[in-house]
Amino acid sequence: MGLPSYVTNQATFPEMYERWLVGPLFRPWAETTLEMVELSPGDRLLDNACGTGIVARVARERLGAAGYVVGVDISPDMLAVARVVAPRIDWREGDASALPLQDGEEFEVVVCQQGLQFFPDRSAAAREMRRALAKGGRLAVATWRPDDEIPFFRELRYVAERHLGAIADRRHSFGDAAPLEALLRDAGFHDVRSRTISRTIRFDDGAPLLRLNTMALVGMSPAGNEMSDRERKRVVEKIVGESKPVLRSYADGSGLAFELRSNVATARG
């Protein structure tokens, strides 16, 4: 669930992410993904690229005290929030291409929700997840579909590009299921399958989502990375203002609602 360093290095962003995005946006996908790996009592689960830890937390709820859950993320600021929200989970700072595992440590379930597309070396990350998975264990990897299939985010990107030029939105950079399946097979996984899942996402208040999405887009743009902090804040405000009509067009009377599509690939070790 990674985001650009410009965003995640801001002291307040992980708290905003947890408060405004996790419940309406990421928890529904965590529940869907965990259903696909069919958790069993006593499972050990690794949440790779855990962010503030929603997959790990939902897994802990379902497994209870008999399960053991580890969350790994490269961002210490995200993990700081995770530790406050769920102190009993084993949170570890580490790189997806060199997972911080104990000697011989293996898991019955490994999950990576919306993180793989951000890894600099996806092949190494896939091999590391294979190393972490016990023989016969279950893997689930989710990556957003291209934003061409998600009109809400595509329209917001178009508004931002008026000020920033072309933006390669890394969140949607691994949207084709075929390369995802091939990556997992090459890493040694078996029974690799993928599904495209669509969900209606609802926010009571779309304003925080709009602001955080704009910050992410600015952080992913070459122009934004060349700006001073003051210039970046100014352009964020301008883009947020011009994006409000998009928000209004997706209002459904009780808040904001839009369709979001994701690949979910499953495999066995």
Side-chain angles (χ1 to χ4, degrees):
M1 292 187 284
L3 286 168
S5 58
Y6 147 65
V7 174
T8 56
N9 288 345
Q10 297 190 66
T12 60
F13 185 86
E15 288 87 354
M16 295 167 65
Y17 176 97
E18 173 64 30
R19 179 178 179 183
W20 297 110
L21 297 188
V22 165
L25 181 58
F26 291 111
R27 185 180 179 105
W29 292 102
E31 293 170 345
T32 296
T33 303
L34 290 172
E35 287 166 6
M36 295 180 73
V37 292
E38 300 179 348
L39 294 181
S40 299
D43 276 344
R44 295 168 57 89
L45 180 141
L46 172 65
D47 178 9
N48 190 17
C50 64
T52 60
I54 188 56
V55 173
R57 280 145 46 192
V58 174
R60 180 64 185 263
E61 291 171 9
R62 297 188 176 190
L63 291 171
Y68 181 59
V69 179
V70 172
V72 174
D73 201 272
I74 199 168
S75 168
D77 294 328
M78 288 288 196
L79 290 172
V81 174
R83 291 187 178 107
V84 170
V85 176
R88 295 186 179 181
I89 291 175
D90 183 354
W91 305 109
R92 304 179 190 176
E93 184 177 345
D95 192 316
S97 62
L99 289 171
L101 304 180
Q102 299 169 12
D103 289 345
E105 187 174 32
E106 292 182 325
F107 298 83
E108 284 75 37
V109 180
V110 174
V111 178
C112 183
Q113 176 170 276
Q114 308 307 337
L116 183 62
Q117 59 265 50
F118 294 97
F119 298 157
D121 190 337
R122 294 169 181 167
S123 295
R127 290 193 298 270
E128 280 292 278
M129 288 190 286
R130 177 65 189 88
R131 179 172 72 91
L133 193 65
K135 184 176 181 180
R138 291 98 69 202
L139 172 81
V141 176
T143 60
W144 300 129
R145 295 289 297 173
D147 75 352
D148 285 345
E149 299 180 14
I150 307 168
F152 175 72
F153 284 115
R154 183 184 66 227
E155 291 171 32
L156 291 177
R157 175 170 57 83
Y158 286 166
V159 175
E161 287 179 334
R162 296 176 197 160
H163 300 273
L164 300 165
I167 300 170
D169 191 334
R170 294 174 60 201
R171 295 171 296 185
H172 303 278
S173 65
F174 209 32
D176 188 343
L180 173 59
E181 292 179 13
L183 179 77
L184 297 179
R185 291 191 184 97
D186 289 346
F189 290 101
H190 307 286
D191 299 327
V192 177
R193 302 175 184 179
S194 66
R195 294 174 56 191
T196 297
I197 298 176
S198 179
R199 297 186 64 110
T200 299
I201 301 299
R202 298 183 182 278
F203 282 78
D204 293 336
D205 180 2
L209 170 64
L210 174 57
R211 178 166 297 277
L212 294 174
N213 184 69
T214 301
M215 291 168 64
L217 289 170
V218 171
M220 287 184 287
S221 69
N225 286 322
E226 295 297 322
M227 294 176 182
S228 66
D229 287 346
R230 183 176 180 180
E231 291 173 319
R232 201 178 287 120
K233 289 176 182 177
R234 180 187 59 78
V235 79
V236 164
E237 294 303 324
K238 189 173 286 291
I239 293 168
V240 166
E242 292 183 13
S243 299
K244 289 179 180 178
V246 176
L247 232 57
R248 290 194 291 269
S249 69
Y250 285 87
D252 70 348
S254 60
L256 175 72
F258 59 92
E259 290 297 309
L260 186 55
R261 291 164 61 85
S262 180
N263 301 306
V264 181
T266 58
R268 286 194 173 264

